Short mmCIF file of all heavy atoms in Angstrom, two decimals:
data_model
loop_
_atom_site.label_atom_id
_atom_site.label_comp_id
_atom_site.label_asym_id
_atom_site.label_seq_id
_atom_site.Cartn_x
_atom_site.Cartn_y
_atom_site.Cartn_z
N SER B 1 88.79 122.72 99.77
CA SER B 1 89.68 122.60 100.92
C SER B 1 89.61 121.21 101.53
O SER B 1 90.64 120.61 101.86
CB SER B 1 89.32 123.64 102.00
OG SER B 1 89.55 124.93 101.52
N ARG B 2 88.41 120.68 101.69
CA ARG B 2 88.25 119.33 102.26
C ARG B 2 88.87 118.29 101.33
O ARG B 2 89.52 117.34 101.79
CB ARG B 2 86.78 119.04 102.52
CG ARG B 2 86.26 119.88 103.68
CD ARG B 2 84.87 119.54 104.18
NE ARG B 2 84.06 118.65 103.42
CZ ARG B 2 82.90 118.97 102.84
NH1 ARG B 2 82.42 120.19 102.94
NH2 ARG B 2 82.21 118.08 102.18
N LEU B 3 88.67 118.45 100.02
CA LEU B 3 89.25 117.50 99.07
C LEU B 3 90.77 117.48 99.18
O LEU B 3 91.38 116.42 99.31
CB LEU B 3 88.83 117.86 97.64
CG LEU B 3 89.50 117.04 96.54
CD1 LEU B 3 89.04 115.58 96.59
CD2 LEU B 3 89.23 117.65 95.18
N PHE B 4 91.39 118.65 99.15
CA PHE B 4 92.85 118.70 99.19
C PHE B 4 93.40 118.25 100.54
O PHE B 4 94.49 117.67 100.60
CB PHE B 4 93.37 120.06 98.77
CG PHE B 4 93.20 120.30 97.28
CD1 PHE B 4 92.68 121.48 96.82
CD2 PHE B 4 93.53 119.32 96.36
CE1 PHE B 4 92.50 121.69 95.44
CE2 PHE B 4 93.36 119.51 95.00
CZ PHE B 4 92.85 120.70 94.54
N ALA B 5 92.66 118.45 101.61
CA ALA B 5 93.09 117.92 102.90
C ALA B 5 93.12 116.39 102.86
O ALA B 5 94.04 115.77 103.40
CB ALA B 5 92.15 118.41 104.01
N LEU B 6 92.16 115.80 102.18
CA LEU B 6 92.12 114.34 102.05
C LEU B 6 93.28 113.80 101.21
O LEU B 6 93.69 112.66 101.39
CB LEU B 6 90.80 113.89 101.41
CG LEU B 6 89.60 113.83 102.31
CD1 LEU B 6 88.34 113.60 101.51
CD2 LEU B 6 89.77 112.72 103.35
N LEU B 7 93.79 114.61 100.31
CA LEU B 7 94.87 114.15 99.44
C LEU B 7 96.23 114.26 100.10
O LEU B 7 97.20 113.65 99.65
CB LEU B 7 94.85 114.96 98.13
CG LEU B 7 93.55 114.89 97.33
CD1 LEU B 7 93.66 115.73 96.07
CD2 LEU B 7 93.16 113.46 97.02
N SER B 8 96.29 115.00 101.18
CA SER B 8 97.56 115.21 101.89
C SER B 8 98.11 113.88 102.39
O SER B 8 97.41 113.09 103.01
CB SER B 8 97.31 116.16 103.06
OG SER B 8 98.48 116.28 103.83
N GLY B 9 99.39 113.65 102.09
CA GLY B 9 100.06 112.45 102.59
C GLY B 9 99.82 111.19 101.80
O GLY B 9 100.31 110.12 102.18
N VAL B 10 99.07 111.25 100.71
CA VAL B 10 98.83 110.07 99.88
C VAL B 10 99.98 109.95 98.88
O VAL B 10 100.33 110.93 98.21
CB VAL B 10 97.47 110.17 99.14
CG1 VAL B 10 97.25 108.96 98.23
CG2 VAL B 10 96.33 110.31 100.13
N THR B 11 100.57 108.77 98.80
CA THR B 11 101.68 108.56 97.87
C THR B 11 101.16 108.35 96.45
O THR B 11 99.98 108.04 96.25
CB THR B 11 102.51 107.33 98.27
OG1 THR B 11 101.71 106.16 98.08
CG2 THR B 11 103.01 107.42 99.70
N GLU B 12 102.06 108.50 95.48
CA GLU B 12 101.69 108.27 94.08
C GLU B 12 101.12 106.87 93.90
O GLU B 12 100.12 106.66 93.22
CB GLU B 12 102.92 108.48 93.19
CG GLU B 12 102.66 108.28 91.71
CD GLU B 12 102.13 109.52 91.00
OE1 GLU B 12 102.29 110.63 91.51
OE2 GLU B 12 101.55 109.36 89.92
N GLU B 13 101.76 105.91 94.52
CA GLU B 13 101.30 104.51 94.41
C GLU B 13 99.91 104.35 95.01
O GLU B 13 99.05 103.66 94.45
CB GLU B 13 102.31 103.57 95.10
CG GLU B 13 102.04 102.09 94.88
CD GLU B 13 101.04 101.51 95.86
OE1 GLU B 13 100.97 101.98 97.01
OE2 GLU B 13 100.30 100.58 95.48
N GLN B 14 99.65 105.00 96.13
CA GLN B 14 98.33 104.91 96.76
C GLN B 14 97.26 105.61 95.92
O GLN B 14 96.11 105.16 95.88
CB GLN B 14 98.37 105.50 98.17
CG GLN B 14 99.17 104.66 99.14
CD GLN B 14 99.49 105.39 100.43
OE1 GLN B 14 99.57 106.63 100.47
NE2 GLN B 14 99.71 104.63 101.50
N PHE B 15 97.62 106.70 95.25
CA PHE B 15 96.68 107.38 94.36
C PHE B 15 96.19 106.45 93.26
O PHE B 15 95.05 106.51 92.83
CB PHE B 15 97.33 108.60 93.69
CG PHE B 15 97.21 109.88 94.45
CD1 PHE B 15 98.29 110.41 95.13
CD2 PHE B 15 96.00 110.58 94.49
CE1 PHE B 15 98.19 111.61 95.81
CE2 PHE B 15 95.89 111.77 95.17
CZ PHE B 15 96.98 112.29 95.84
N LYS B 16 97.09 105.59 92.78
CA LYS B 16 96.79 104.74 91.61
C LYS B 16 96.27 103.35 91.99
O LYS B 16 95.82 102.61 91.13
CB LYS B 16 98.04 104.59 90.74
CG LYS B 16 98.67 105.90 90.29
CD LYS B 16 97.81 106.63 89.29
CE LYS B 16 98.41 107.96 88.91
NZ LYS B 16 98.75 108.08 87.54
N ARG B 17 96.35 102.98 93.26
CA ARG B 17 95.94 101.64 93.68
C ARG B 17 94.42 101.56 93.82
O ARG B 17 93.81 102.34 94.53
CB ARG B 17 96.58 101.26 95.01
CG ARG B 17 96.31 99.81 95.37
CD ARG B 17 96.80 99.39 96.74
NE ARG B 17 98.10 99.92 97.06
CZ ARG B 17 98.49 100.21 98.30
NH1 ARG B 17 97.68 100.03 99.32
NH2 ARG B 17 99.69 100.69 98.53
N ARG B 18 93.84 100.57 93.15
CA ARG B 18 92.41 100.33 93.28
C ARG B 18 92.16 99.41 94.47
O ARG B 18 92.91 98.46 94.68
CB ARG B 18 91.85 99.66 92.03
CG ARG B 18 91.76 100.57 90.84
CD ARG B 18 91.10 99.85 89.69
NE ARG B 18 91.02 100.71 88.54
CZ ARG B 18 91.17 100.29 87.29
NH1 ARG B 18 91.41 99.01 87.04
NH2 ARG B 18 91.07 101.12 86.29
N PRO B 19 91.10 99.68 95.21
CA PRO B 19 90.76 98.76 96.30
C PRO B 19 90.18 97.47 95.71
O PRO B 19 89.81 97.42 94.54
CB PRO B 19 89.71 99.53 97.09
CG PRO B 19 89.11 100.47 96.11
CD PRO B 19 90.19 100.81 95.12
N PRO B 20 90.10 96.42 96.51
CA PRO B 20 89.52 95.17 96.01
C PRO B 20 88.06 95.36 95.59
O PRO B 20 87.33 96.16 96.18
CB PRO B 20 89.61 94.22 97.21
CG PRO B 20 90.56 94.85 98.17
CD PRO B 20 90.55 96.32 97.90
N ALA B 21 87.67 94.62 94.57
CA ALA B 21 86.29 94.64 94.11
C ALA B 21 85.37 94.05 95.18
O ALA B 21 85.79 93.19 95.96
CB ALA B 21 86.16 93.86 92.81
N THR B 22 84.15 94.55 95.22
CA THR B 22 83.14 94.02 96.14
C THR B 22 81.86 93.76 95.34
O THR B 22 81.75 94.17 94.17
CB THR B 22 82.83 95.03 97.26
OG1 THR B 22 82.24 96.21 96.67
CG2 THR B 22 84.08 95.41 98.04
N ALA B 23 80.91 93.13 95.99
CA ALA B 23 79.62 92.89 95.32
C ALA B 23 78.94 94.22 95.00
O ALA B 23 78.31 94.37 93.95
CB ALA B 23 78.71 92.04 96.21
N ASP B 24 79.09 95.21 95.88
CA ASP B 24 78.49 96.52 95.65
C ASP B 24 79.24 97.33 94.61
O ASP B 24 78.66 98.20 93.96
CB ASP B 24 78.44 97.33 96.95
CG ASP B 24 77.44 96.76 97.94
OD1 ASP B 24 76.49 96.08 97.50
OD2 ASP B 24 77.61 97.01 99.14
N ASP B 25 80.53 97.09 94.48
CA ASP B 25 81.37 97.85 93.55
C ASP B 25 82.36 96.91 92.86
O ASP B 25 83.51 96.78 93.28
CB ASP B 25 82.11 98.96 94.29
CG ASP B 25 82.75 99.97 93.35
OD1 ASP B 25 82.63 99.82 92.11
OD2 ASP B 25 83.37 100.92 93.86
N PRO B 26 81.91 96.24 91.79
CA PRO B 26 82.77 95.27 91.12
C PRO B 26 83.95 95.88 90.35
O PRO B 26 84.90 95.19 90.03
CB PRO B 26 81.82 94.53 90.16
CG PRO B 26 80.67 95.46 89.98
CD PRO B 26 80.57 96.30 91.22
N GLN B 27 83.90 97.17 90.06
CA GLN B 27 84.99 97.85 89.36
C GLN B 27 85.31 99.16 90.07
O GLN B 27 85.04 100.25 89.55
CB GLN B 27 84.63 98.11 87.90
CG GLN B 27 84.47 96.84 87.09
CD GLN B 27 84.22 97.16 85.63
OE1 GLN B 27 83.37 97.97 85.30
NE2 GLN B 27 84.97 96.51 84.77
N PRO B 28 85.90 99.08 91.27
CA PRO B 28 86.16 100.31 92.03
C PRO B 28 87.21 101.17 91.37
O PRO B 28 88.09 100.69 90.67
CB PRO B 28 86.66 99.78 93.38
CG PRO B 28 87.22 98.44 93.08
CD PRO B 28 86.41 97.89 91.94
N TRP B 29 87.08 102.47 91.60
CA TRP B 29 88.04 103.44 91.11
C TRP B 29 89.12 103.66 92.16
O TRP B 29 88.86 103.57 93.36
CB TRP B 29 87.37 104.76 90.83
CG TRP B 29 86.51 104.80 89.61
CD1 TRP B 29 86.39 103.85 88.64
CD2 TRP B 29 85.64 105.87 89.23
NE1 TRP B 29 85.50 104.26 87.68
CE2 TRP B 29 85.03 105.50 88.01
CE3 TRP B 29 85.33 107.09 89.78
CZ2 TRP B 29 84.13 106.32 87.36
CZ3 TRP B 29 84.42 107.91 89.13
CH2 TRP B 29 83.83 107.52 87.92
N CYS B 30 90.28 104.05 91.71
CA CYS B 30 91.33 104.50 92.62
C CYS B 30 91.13 106.01 92.83
O CYS B 30 90.30 106.65 92.17
CB CYS B 30 92.72 104.20 92.03
SG CYS B 30 93.10 105.08 90.51
N ILE B 31 91.89 106.58 93.75
CA ILE B 31 91.76 108.01 94.04
C ILE B 31 92.03 108.85 92.79
O ILE B 31 91.31 109.81 92.51
CB ILE B 31 92.70 108.43 95.19
CG1 ILE B 31 92.27 107.76 96.50
CG2 ILE B 31 92.73 109.96 95.36
CD1 ILE B 31 93.25 107.95 97.65
N ALA B 32 93.04 108.48 92.01
CA ALA B 32 93.35 109.25 90.80
C ALA B 32 92.19 109.21 89.81
O ALA B 32 91.93 110.21 89.13
CB ALA B 32 94.63 108.71 90.15
N GLU B 33 91.49 108.10 89.73
CA GLU B 33 90.33 108.02 88.83
C GLU B 33 89.20 108.91 89.32
O GLU B 33 88.52 109.56 88.52
CB GLU B 33 89.86 106.57 88.70
CG GLU B 33 90.82 105.74 87.87
CD GLU B 33 90.53 104.25 87.94
OE1 GLU B 33 90.31 103.72 89.06
OE2 GLU B 33 90.55 103.61 86.88
N VAL B 34 89.00 108.97 90.63
CA VAL B 34 87.98 109.87 91.18
C VAL B 34 88.34 111.32 90.86
O VAL B 34 87.49 112.11 90.45
CB VAL B 34 87.79 109.65 92.70
CG1 VAL B 34 86.79 110.66 93.26
CG2 VAL B 34 87.32 108.23 92.99
N LEU B 35 89.63 111.66 91.02
CA LEU B 35 90.06 113.03 90.70
C LEU B 35 89.85 113.35 89.22
O LEU B 35 89.39 114.44 88.88
CB LEU B 35 91.53 113.23 91.08
CG LEU B 35 91.86 113.11 92.57
CD1 LEU B 35 93.37 113.30 92.78
CD2 LEU B 35 91.06 114.08 93.39
N ALA B 36 90.18 112.41 88.35
CA ALA B 36 89.97 112.63 86.91
C ALA B 36 88.49 112.79 86.60
O ALA B 36 88.10 113.62 85.76
CB ALA B 36 90.57 111.47 86.12
N HIS B 37 87.66 112.02 87.28
CA HIS B 37 86.21 112.14 87.11
C HIS B 37 85.72 113.52 87.56
O HIS B 37 84.96 114.18 86.85
CB HIS B 37 85.51 111.03 87.91
CG HIS B 37 84.04 111.21 88.02
ND1 HIS B 37 83.18 111.02 86.96
CD2 HIS B 37 83.27 111.57 89.08
CE1 HIS B 37 81.94 111.26 87.36
NE2 HIS B 37 81.97 111.59 88.64
N LEU B 38 86.19 113.97 88.72
CA LEU B 38 85.82 115.30 89.21
C LEU B 38 86.26 116.38 88.24
O LEU B 38 85.52 117.33 87.96
CB LEU B 38 86.43 115.55 90.59
CG LEU B 38 85.79 114.82 91.76
CD1 LEU B 38 86.64 114.98 93.02
CD2 LEU B 38 84.37 115.30 92.00
N LEU B 39 87.47 116.24 87.72
CA LEU B 39 88.01 117.22 86.77
C LEU B 39 87.16 117.27 85.50
O LEU B 39 86.76 118.36 85.06
CB LEU B 39 89.46 116.88 86.45
CG LEU B 39 90.17 117.75 85.42
CD1 LEU B 39 90.17 119.21 85.83
CD2 LEU B 39 91.60 117.25 85.23
N SER B 40 86.85 116.13 84.92
CA SER B 40 86.08 116.14 83.66
C SER B 40 84.65 116.65 83.91
O SER B 40 84.09 117.37 83.08
CB SER B 40 86.07 114.77 83.00
OG SER B 40 85.38 113.83 83.77
N HIS B 41 84.08 116.29 85.05
CA HIS B 41 82.72 116.74 85.38
C HIS B 41 82.68 118.26 85.55
O HIS B 41 81.80 118.93 85.02
CB HIS B 41 82.26 116.05 86.66
CG HIS B 41 80.88 116.39 87.08
ND1 HIS B 41 80.60 117.46 87.91
CD2 HIS B 41 79.69 115.83 86.78
CE1 HIS B 41 79.31 117.53 88.09
NE2 HIS B 41 78.72 116.55 87.43
N GLU B 42 83.66 118.79 86.26
CA GLU B 42 83.67 120.24 86.50
C GLU B 42 83.95 121.00 85.19
O GLU B 42 83.37 122.06 84.95
CB GLU B 42 84.69 120.60 87.58
CG GLU B 42 84.48 121.98 88.13
CD GLU B 42 85.01 122.18 89.53
OE1 GLU B 42 85.20 121.19 90.27
OE2 GLU B 42 85.26 123.35 89.88
N ARG B 43 84.82 120.45 84.35
CA ARG B 43 85.05 121.09 83.03
C ARG B 43 83.77 121.12 82.21
O ARG B 43 83.46 122.12 81.56
CB ARG B 43 86.14 120.34 82.27
CG ARG B 43 87.52 120.68 82.69
CD ARG B 43 88.54 119.95 81.85
NE ARG B 43 89.89 120.30 82.25
CZ ARG B 43 90.94 119.54 82.08
NH1 ARG B 43 90.82 118.35 81.50
NH2 ARG B 43 92.13 119.95 82.47
N LEU B 44 83.04 120.00 82.22
CA LEU B 44 81.79 119.92 81.47
C LEU B 44 80.81 120.99 81.94
O LEU B 44 80.22 121.71 81.13
CB LEU B 44 81.17 118.52 81.63
CG LEU B 44 79.78 118.33 81.04
CD1 LEU B 44 79.82 118.40 79.52
CD2 LEU B 44 79.20 117.01 81.51
N TRP B 45 80.64 121.12 83.27
CA TRP B 45 79.69 122.10 83.78
C TRP B 45 80.18 123.53 83.60
O TRP B 45 79.38 124.44 83.39
CB TRP B 45 79.28 121.79 85.21
CG TRP B 45 78.28 120.67 85.17
CD1 TRP B 45 78.51 119.35 85.41
CD2 TRP B 45 76.93 120.78 84.75
NE1 TRP B 45 77.36 118.63 85.19
CE2 TRP B 45 76.37 119.47 84.79
CE3 TRP B 45 76.11 121.83 84.36
CZ2 TRP B 45 75.04 119.21 84.44
CZ3 TRP B 45 74.79 121.56 84.02
CH2 TRP B 45 74.27 120.27 84.06
N ALA B 46 81.49 123.74 83.61
CA ALA B 46 82.02 125.08 83.32
C ALA B 46 81.66 125.46 81.87
O ALA B 46 81.23 126.60 81.61
CB ALA B 46 83.52 125.13 83.53
N GLU B 47 81.80 124.51 80.95
CA GLU B 47 81.42 124.77 79.55
C GLU B 47 79.93 125.08 79.44
O GLU B 47 79.52 125.98 78.70
CB GLU B 47 81.76 123.56 78.68
CG GLU B 47 83.23 123.31 78.49
CD GLU B 47 83.52 121.96 77.84
OE1 GLU B 47 82.59 121.32 77.28
OE2 GLU B 47 84.69 121.53 77.90
#
């Protein structure tokens, strides 16, 4: 529920836009990449 509330109102372009790189995170993920990561992780643990 909290995850889907966070996704409310995000445009397709915003889902795919990566934030600028930082020293702490030189290759940041966009929201869609985080969702894909969550999906693959949950599938793995379901298996």
Side-chain angles (χ1 to χ4, degrees):
S1 294
R2 290 189 350 243
L3 173 68
F4 288 134
L6 280 170
L7 302 180
S8 174
V10 178
T11 68
E12 181 85 20
E13 188 275 329
Q14 290 166 334
F15 271 106
K16 305 291 177 118
R17 187 186 318 150
R18 287 185 181 143
T22 64
D24 290 336
D25 193 0
Q27 295 185 310
W29 286 351
C30 64
I31 294 172
E33 288 169 314
V34 176
L35 296 179
H37 169 71
L38 286 170
L39 177 58
S40 66
H41 182 270
E42 196 155 338
R43 280 183 179 154
L44 173 68
W45 282 101
E47 291 169 15

